[in-house]
């Protein structure tokens, strides 16, 4: 995908301000989008996958260093078998497209990471994730974190389990288990703090996404009444501009 001049113009306005280094997105609204159009749920998820590719272009044109998206929660395994199977097949298809058409990955030298309980996923999807990881192994550019079979509570529990193993092995003392130690065992330990969290669909909750990471003093949260597949570059640029305005106000109050 190549950005149109209208998209570049819209994003260029946002580029005049301080661009967030790390953007996190709860991509919500695929099912409602499909229902409103009389489409099967699978079609809503398909269009949502296409929107992610668009959003990646917007972010990296802006200069965002890390994009973290919530694609599939562990809780989503409770959905109907047909829907879960369709999402798994779609994820496999989209990752295959990334491998087959590497233009976007090579243009930005992208690092693509899948964060979550990979072992809970079907074998073919696990294999596809491994191929994507191999493809991006030497890349040094912006990072795309795709949270799949993920919840924040599970991520935090995993980090604590790692620390407990280190205590059992004698490489760490119990009193050394601090918030900093836990943070260094999270999936995003090597990424800058989240500057901006966006949720589409109008819902105003975090749904167990990045609960630890968004507690920083500089994270701003934005909830917009737009279904994920319907997100436009203009709506996205407006969120960036609002974030920049909020940061300026916060800086003034601290001064």
């Amino acid at each position: 995908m190549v950005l149109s001049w209208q998209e570049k113009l819209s994003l260029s306005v946002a580029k005049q301000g301080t661009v967030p280094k790390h953007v996190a997105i709860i991509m919500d609204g695929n099912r409602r989008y499909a229902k409103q159009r009389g489409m099967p749920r699978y079609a809503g998820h398909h269009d949502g996958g296409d929107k992610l590719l668009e959003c990646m272009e917007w972010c990296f044109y802006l200069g965002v260093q890390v994009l973290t998206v919530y694609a599939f929660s562990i809780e989503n395994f409770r959905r109907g078998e047909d829907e879960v199977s369709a999402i798994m097949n779609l994820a496999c298809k989209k990752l295959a497209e990334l491998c087959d058409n590497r233009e976007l990955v090579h243009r930005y030298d992208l690092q693509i990471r899948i964060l979550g309980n990979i072992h809970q996923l079907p074998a073919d999807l696990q294999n596809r994730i491994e191929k994507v990881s191999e493809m991006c192994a030497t890349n040094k550019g912006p990072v795309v974190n795709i949270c799949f079979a993920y919840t924040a509570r599970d991520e935090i529990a995993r980090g604590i389990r790692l620390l407990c193993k280190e205590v059992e092995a004698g490489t760490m003392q119990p009193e050394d288990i601090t918030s900093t130690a836990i943070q260094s065992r999270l999936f995003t330990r090597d990424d800058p703090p989240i500057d901006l969290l966006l949720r589409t669909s109008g819902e105003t909750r975090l749904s167990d996404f990045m609960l630890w990471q968004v507690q920083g003093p500089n994270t701003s949260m934005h909830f917009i009444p737009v279904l994920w597949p319907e997100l436009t570059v203009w709506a996205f640029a407006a969120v960036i501009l609002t974030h920049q305005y909020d940061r300026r106000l916060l800086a003034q109050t601290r001064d």
Side-chain angles (χ1 to χ4, degrees), residues 98-121:
L98 277 176
C99 289
D100 295 337
N101 182 9
R102 305 184 181 187
E103 191 273 333
L104 177 64
V105 174
H106 287 170
R107 178 152 40 95
Y108 290 106
D109 201 29
L110 293 182
Q111 304 176 64
I112 300 176
R113 305 170 184 161
I114 311 300
L115 312 184
N117 280 304
I118 307 302
H119 66 276
Q120 291 186 319
L121 302 175

Side-chain angles (χ1 to χ4, degrees), residues 178-199:
T178 63
S179 59
T180 301
I182 295 173
Q183 184 168 324
S184 67
R185 272 73 177 179
L186 299 180
F187 292 128
T188 57
R189 58 188 173 274
D190 296 324
D191 299 330
I194 293 175
D195 300 300
L196 186 159
L197 181 138
L198 167 65
R199 179 169 186 152

Side-chain angles (χ1 to χ4, degrees), residues 157-167 185-186 189:
R158 171 185 172 276
I160 293 173
R161 286 195 299 270
L162 292 174
L163 290 170
C164 290
K165 289 181 180 179
E166 293 178 41
V167 171
R185 272 73 177 179
L186 299 180
R189 58 188 173 274

